[in-house]
Amino acid sequence: MDNSSGVGVLDKAVLVLNALEAGPASLAQLVQATGLARPTAHRLAVALEHHRIVSRDSQGRFILGPRLAELSSAAGEDRLLAVATPVLTQLRDMTGESAQLYRRQGDERVCVAAAERTSGLRDTVPVGAALPMTAGSAAQVLLAWEEPERLHRGLRGAKFTAATLASVRRRGWAHSVGEREPGVASVSAPIRGAGGKVIAAISVSGPIERLTRTPGRLFAKPVVAAAEKITEALRRSDGGY
């Protein structure tokens, strides 16, 4: 077996996963692609399915499972946080406002990193906080570049409209005033990964008294620059996201 690690069962499991990388496969197709005996291929595929590393499609064929996407996301998030943390601090220092980094998780957006104001009233969202995808500038950014069907589904119950998201795509940033929480304004811009896909949003937020009712006029430029800096750093690291 090529690239043998000396741990036979693991090498065979990797053969199964490598075969599924090409797309869905029946048991017969797995046997043909891997060269494994039929009982061995079946036993490994079912065991991998138990751990969600392999799954089945609607036709019962084996496919790569959701656990792989979760592990990939975790690895990507570590890289994202390493790159974004110093940029968040720079953005906070430049604007004098709290800065946050959000990622989408299902119907919520989660604050995965933040840089608080060093003095005075702290307006930041705690790291780990889950906020709705239906309000706020970061939600707009995380939804604006989605596939049309997912975008329209995300607009149900939202405090912004399809026209708002069209404007976000045109400008390249979003702002909101009292949309998620009364008295709070924010500005957000997209961070992009492989293929230009939006993988996160970087934001500054604070009271309307400081950010005004047109916060984009104050902070769109530095927020967009911070997003572009992170995107470029991700592209350079390990060949991109």
Side-chain angles (χ1 to χ4, degrees), residues 1 11-13 15-16 30-42 44:
M1 191 186 302
D11 291 336
K12 291 172 183 176
L15 278 177
V16 170
L30 267 187
V31 169
Q32 184 178 15
T34 62
L36 297 171
R38 187 181 180 90
T40 302
H42 182 261
L44 285 171

Side-chain angles (χ1 to χ4, degrees), residues 83-149:
V83 168
T85 297
V87 179
L88 280 172
T89 302
Q90 293 165 6
L91 183 60
R92 176 203 62 195
D93 293 346
M94 185 182 300
T95 62
E97 302 296 343
S98 301
Q100 301 89 29
L101 185 71
Y102 293 98
R103 296 204 73 181
R104 182 172 183 173
Q105 291 184 11
D107 293 329
E108 296 178 320
R109 55 185 168 104
V110 176
C111 179
V112 295
E116 293 189 355
R117 296 184 75 226
T118 52
S119 61
L121 180 64
R122 293 187 173 187
D123 311 290
T124 194
V125 176
V127 172
L131 302 177
M133 278 292 295
T134 51
S137 64
Q140 294 176 26
V141 162
L142 291 171
L143 191 58
W145 284 273
E146 285 282 14
E147 296 293 327
E149 184 180 334

Side-chain angles (χ1 to χ4, degrees), residues 16-26 29-30 33 54-55 57 61-64:
V16 170
L17 295 176
N18 287 345
L20 294 178
E21 184 181 7
S26 65
Q29 289 169 327
L30 267 187
V54 164
S55 188
D57 66 9
R61 296 176 300 180
F62 294 105
I63 57 174
L64 293 175

